[in-house]
Amino acid sequence: MWIVINKFGDEFEKLYYQSMNETELEKKLLMVTKDDGKVYVGYIKIISKPLLSQQIELIPFVSGYRESERKILHFTTPYFKVLKKLINNTDFESIDEEMAIVISKEKIVTVSKFNPKVYKKFQKKKYKLAE
């Protein structure tokens, strides 16, 4: 698959593939922003082959939205609490069947790696600057 993605894929697809193949769980997290302002942070489960139906399947970790004018990010749904319970119960089938979401590439505006520790540091600095 990497040969096909490397030759025919765009930067989004390369980032998806790299994320899927990370060995550390925390490094697998990606933040996907859709054209409607909805934001998902999660783990890529499946990517389509380049030049075919362009979509990704994601297991969400947390989701939220970006404000329409200032684009400030607000997280509203902490999926990680449910994920943790399902993982502890080794209920991996439920994760795949009930939590996975499919997002069309046409709807994706940005994709980036997401590190919760780095995000928290930026949030602390943001509030200090605002004082």
Side-chain angles (χ1 to χ4, degrees):
M1 178 84 137
W2 173 244
I3 295 170
V4 175
I5 289 174
N6 197 35
K7 187 170 184 175
F8 300 107
D10 60 22
E11 295 306 311
F12 285 136
E13 291 159 327
K14 291 174 185 174
L15 188 56
Y16 302 148
Y17 186 83
Q18 290 169 356
S19 170
M20 288 176 65
N21 289 286
E22 285 286 352
T23 54
E24 293 179 46
L25 193 60
E26 195 170 82
K27 290 184 177 182
K28 290 179 174 280
L29 284 173
L30 290 181
M31 180 168 58
V32 177
T33 302
K34 293 177 46 186
D35 59 0
D36 62 0
K38 182 78 176 169
V39 175
Y40 291 97
V41 172
Y43 303 99
I44 300 294
K45 181 180 170 214
I46 297 173
I47 57 174
S48 57
K49 292 180 183 175
L51 309 174
L52 296 177
S53 64
Q54 300 289 307
Q55 59 196 23
I56 61 170
E57 194 168 329
L58 181 99
I59 305 293
F61 180 76
V62 65
S63 69
Y65 66 96
R66 290 192 182 276
E67 291 179 6
S68 58
E69 288 185 28
R70 296 181 4 185
K71 304 298 182 200
I72 294 173
L73 178 60
H74 299 277
F75 287 123
T76 57
T77 309
Y79 295 91
F80 58 86
K81 293 177 181 180
V82 174
L83 274 173
K84 186 176 180 179
K85 286 181 184 178
L86 293 172
I87 290 169
N88 288 341
N89 294 331
T90 62
D91 192 0
F92 303 111
E93 194 172 302
S94 290
I95 293 171
D96 287 346
E97 291 178 4
E98 298 174 24
M99 293 191 68
I101 58 168
V102 177
I103 305 172
S104 169
K105 185 178 175 186
E106 299 168 348
K107 301 288 183 183
I108 297 173
V109 178
T110 63
V111 177
S112 64
K113 290 187 176 246
F114 184 85
N115 183 316
K117 292 175 188 170
V118 173
Y119 175 77
K120 285 179 186 176
K121 287 181 183 181
F122 273 101
Q123 295 310 300
K124 288 179 184 175
K125 290 184 186 237
K126 179 175 78 171
Y127 293 120
K128 286 181 182 176
L129 290 174
E131 293 174 350

